[in-house]
Amino acid sequence: MPLYEYLCEECGARFERLLPLTAIDDPTSCPQGHAAGLRLISIFSAVSKDSAGEPNLIGDGCGGGCTNCACSLN
Ligand SMILES: [Zn+2]
């Protein structure tokens, strides 16, 4: 699942959530319970195009074989 970073507009807390793609637009509350989470980034959302025009994920630095990042799904 993608990891998203949020900023609470109420208390300024930054926190992270693992959410399925189907839930990214759901309301997200901060650790203090404020329902004002503002999604900042997804570490898996940054994509680029390689020379062949195929989208590539940026930031896959584990080299494969790990069990706790998206590359293990490949
Ligand atoms: Zn808060």
Side-chain angles (χ1 to χ4, degrees), residues 4-17 28-40:
Y4 296 98
E5 184 171 10
Y6 289 84
L7 174 66
C8 177
E9 294 182 303
E10 287 289 325
C11 67
R14 291 175 71 137
F15 56 101
E16 295 173 340
R17 287 284 187 274
T28 301
S29 58
C30 84
Q32 281 72 44
H34 305 125
L38 180 69
R39 190 168 73 243
L40 297 177

Side-chain angles (χ1 to χ4, degrees), residues 1-2 5 9-10 13 15-16 18 21 24 27 29 34 36-38 44-45 53 61-62 64-67 69 73-74:
M1 281 187 289
E5 184 171 10
E9 294 182 303
E10 287 289 325
F15 56 101
E16 295 173 340
L18 280 170
L21 289 174
I24 62 173
S29 58
H34 305 125
L38 180 69
F44 295 123
S45 68
C62 73
C66 67
T67 58
C69 84
L73 303 176
N74 294 329

